[in-house]
Amino acid sequence: MTTTPAEIPFRRIDHVRFFVGNARQSAYFYRNAFGFDVVAYAGLETGLRHEASYVLRQGEITFVLTSPLRADHPENPHLMLHGDGVQDVALEVDDVAAAFEAMTRRGAVAVTPPTHREDPDGVYEFATIRAYGDTTHSFVNRDRYRGAFSPGFRPLDLDRYSPRTFHAVGLKAIDHIVANVEEGKMQEWVEFYENVLGFSLLVHFDDKDISTEYTALMSKVVQDGKGRIKFPINEPARGRRRSQIEEYLQFYGGPGVQHIAMATDNIVETVRAMRNNDVSFLRVPPAYYELLPDRVGPIAEDLHDLAELGILVDRDEEGYLLQIFTKPVADRPTLFFEVIERHGARSFGKGNFKALFEAIEHEQARRGTL
Ligand code: FE2
C-alpha cells in the first residue's frame, strides 16, 4: 500500500550553491551584471584550505559560488565533467533532523547526515541528500544563527568593491528552478519529489507533451505543500532536430539545473538594467509582438518597451506573466536564467515555447549543435 507521505514543512529556497572554476571572477559577474551584493566570503583568509566561497544576495535570493583551491578537492571531477553549474539547491526547513529522517526513510540517498556547525554567531544545521545527476538538496535551519551566512564565512569588506554606479536590478526571489533529466527519466524524478520530499504535481498547465515542429520536450512541475518552491522537470522528446535538452545533457555531462527563474516587480526596469550591464538575452522575431495583443489581450505594460527589450508575455486562466531568458552564462550551453514578473498567472509561459524554441535553435545553429 502506498500512502501519501507526511508533509515536511519546507519554508523556502534558502540558497543555491554553484561549483565553478573561478568563484572570484564569477562573483564579479553576478555582482556587476546581475546586480547581486557580495556579502560573505570563506577561503584561505578565513582558515579554509581546500575551497573558496562567495555569498551573493539580492532581495531574498542567495547564491553561493564555490571553487576548489587544490588538485585533490573531492569535487574536482564534477567540475571537469559539468563545467560551472548548480551543485546544490538548499531548502530551509523547521527541523533538519526530522526532514532528513523522513526523506531517507522514504528512499533518499544520504550525502551528509544532520550536522551542526557552530561559531560565536550561533548554530547552523544542515543535511544533504542526492537529487538528479550530481545535484544535491541540502536542508538547512538557521533559526539559531545570526552570522552572515554560516560558520566559516565572514562578512565581506565592502571597501573591496566600488560603489554602484548603475541602477538597482531589482531581482526579488527565486520563482522556480528547472531540471533537465535524461529521456524517459522525468516521471521517475517527479515521483522522487512526490514520494521522498512530499511535493505534489502541479497538473493544470504544463502537464502534457510540448512538441512543435522545431523541438520537443516533456515537462512536469512539482511543488511543495505551500506552493512556494516550484521545480519544473524537463526531459527531451524526439524532435526533428537535436533538442535544446539533449544539447544541455551532452554539454553538462548528464542531468542538472537548466535554469533559475528570478522574480521582479518591474521586469522592464530589471531587464533594462541587466542589458546595460551586458547580460545577453534571447531575442524573439519581431513578428512575435505583432501577434501579441490578439494572443494575450490587454496588459499594463507598454508594448514598445517589451518589444525593445525582447520581453515575452503569456496568459493563463488566472492572469498573465512577463518573462525573458538569458543566453547561457558560461561557454558551455548549459545553465541560463529567466527573469519573470507575474500578474496572477501561476503557469510557466507555455504559450511562448514555440517562439522561444525558434530563438534557441537559432543560437544552436550558430554553435553547430542543431
Ligand atoms: Fe522557467
Side-chain angles (χ1 to χ4, degrees):
M1 285 290 287
T2 55
T3 53
T4 307
E7 205 175 285
I8 296 165
F10 295 107
R11 293 177 180 172
R12 56 190 288 278
I13 295 172
D14 185 87
H15 66 271
V16 179
R17 178 175 150 115
F18 301 72
F19 201 58
V20 300
N22 188 333
R24 186 186 176 101
Q25 291 189 3
S26 290
Y28 183 89
F29 172 78
Y30 286 107
R31 177 185 188 269
N32 291 23
F34 278 61
F36 281 80
D37 288 315
V38 185
V39 298
Y41 167 79
L44 292 174
E45 296 85 346
T46 69
L48 199 61
R49 309 311 295 178
H50 70 300
E51 63 186 28
S53 292
Y54 295 75
V55 179
L56 286 80
R57 192 161 289 141
Q58 183 169 186
E60 296 173 16
I61 309 164
T62 302
F63 288 169
V64 181
L65 309 171
T66 300
S67 282
L69 293 174
R70 299 163 56 102
D72 60 356
H73 191 291
E75 288 168 273
N76 279 345
H78 291 176
L79 201 52
M80 295 281 288
L81 181 60
H82 304 306
D84 290 6
V86 171
Q87 177 193 43
D88 185 63
V89 177
L91 308 178
E92 189 185 16
V93 295
D94 292 342
D95 184 332
V96 170
F100 181 83
E101 193 278 325
M103 287 184 274
T104 48
R105 183 161 35 81
R106 299 170 192 166
V109 177
V111 176
T112 308
T115 301
H116 287 59
R117 293 250 168 91
E118 204 166 345
D119 74 3
D121 284 320
V123 179
Y124 174 86
E125 295 171 71
F126 74 99
T128 306
I129 64 167
R130 289 191 65 117
Y132 43 87
D134 288 321
T135 317
T136 58
H137 283 307
S138 289
F139 304 97
V140 312
N141 182 282
R142 51 177 76 253
D143 289 351
R144 294 186 289 152
Y145 193 70
R146 300 173 305 276
F149 179 68
S150 69
F153 283 83
R154 287 194 199 147
L156 210 74
D157 183 1
L158 292 173
D159 289 347
R160 183 159 172 176
Y161 290 99
S162 59
R164 288 185 181 285
T165 55
F166 44 85
H167 292 296
V169 168
L171 297 169
K172 298 268 185 187
I174 292 177
D175 187 272
H176 58 275
I177 298 180
V178 181
N180 281 342
V181 301
E182 304 97 322
E183 187 178 344
K185 296 284 187 184
M186 177 186 67
Q187 187 55 33
E188 210 172 284
W189 286 107
V190 166
E191 287 168 14
F192 166 83
Y193 283 100
E194 289 177 328
N195 298 337
V196 175
L197 278 77
F199 279 28
S200 55
L201 188 63
L202 188 61
V203 286
H204 45 302
F205 297 113
D206 293 60
D207 186 29
K208 44 171 124 65
D209 233 344
I210 302 154
S211 64
T212 69
E213 63 176 301
Y214 303 101
T215 193
L217 66 84
M218 305 253 290
S219 187
K220 287 186 175 181
V221 184
V222 291
Q223 66 174 3
D224 76 307
K226 299 190 192 86
R228 288 184 196 152
I229 304 167
K230 297 189 202 78
F231 295 150
I233 302 169
N234 297 331
E235 71 174 29
R238 296 200 179 286
R240 279 198 203 160
R241 302 179 221 160
R242 191 143 62 116
S243 79
Q244 47 162 310
I245 313 298
E246 287 170 80
E247 183 193 40
Y248 175 99
L249 293 168
Q250 185 187 356
F251 279 90
Y252 196 69
V257 170
Q258 179 207 39
H259 75 266
I260 298 173
M262 299 185 284
T264 171
D265 292 335
N266 188 338
I267 196 168
V268 170
E269 289 304 309
T270 295
V271 172
R272 193 162 273 146
M274 290 172 77
R275 277 187 52 176
N276 287 340
N277 299 341
D278 295 330
V279 176
S280 300
F281 292 96
L282 286 175
R283 304 296 308 222
V284 292
Y288 175 90
Y289 293 94
E290 289 160 24
L291 305 170
L292 196 60
D294 284 345
R295 190 165 67 77
V296 301
I299 57 172
E301 289 71 18
D302 185 314
L303 208 58
H304 295 290
D305 286 340
L306 303 183
E308 176 208 332
L309 296 166
I311 294 166
L312 310 173
V313 191
D314 199 20
R315 185 178 283 280
D316 64 27
E317 294 86 335
E318 295 169 288
Y320 70 95
L321 63 83
L322 304 135
Q323 65 186 166
I324 191 167
F325 298 87
T326 72
K327 292 184 182 178
V329 290
D331 288 307
R332 296 195 197 196
T334 53
L335 179 71
F336 60 89
F337 290 86
E338 173 182 350
V339 179
I340 185 166
E341 180 180 343
R342 294 184 180 276
H343 289 263
R346 290 195 289 155
S347 51
F348 297 86
K350 193 163 73 177
N352 286 320
F353 280 16
K354 187 174 174 182
L356 268 174
F357 287 169
E358 286 178 313
I360 289 170
E361 280 166 5
H362 179 72
E363 295 293 316
Q364 276 187 267
R366 290 179 57 201
R367 293 193 285 261
T369 64
L370 189 62

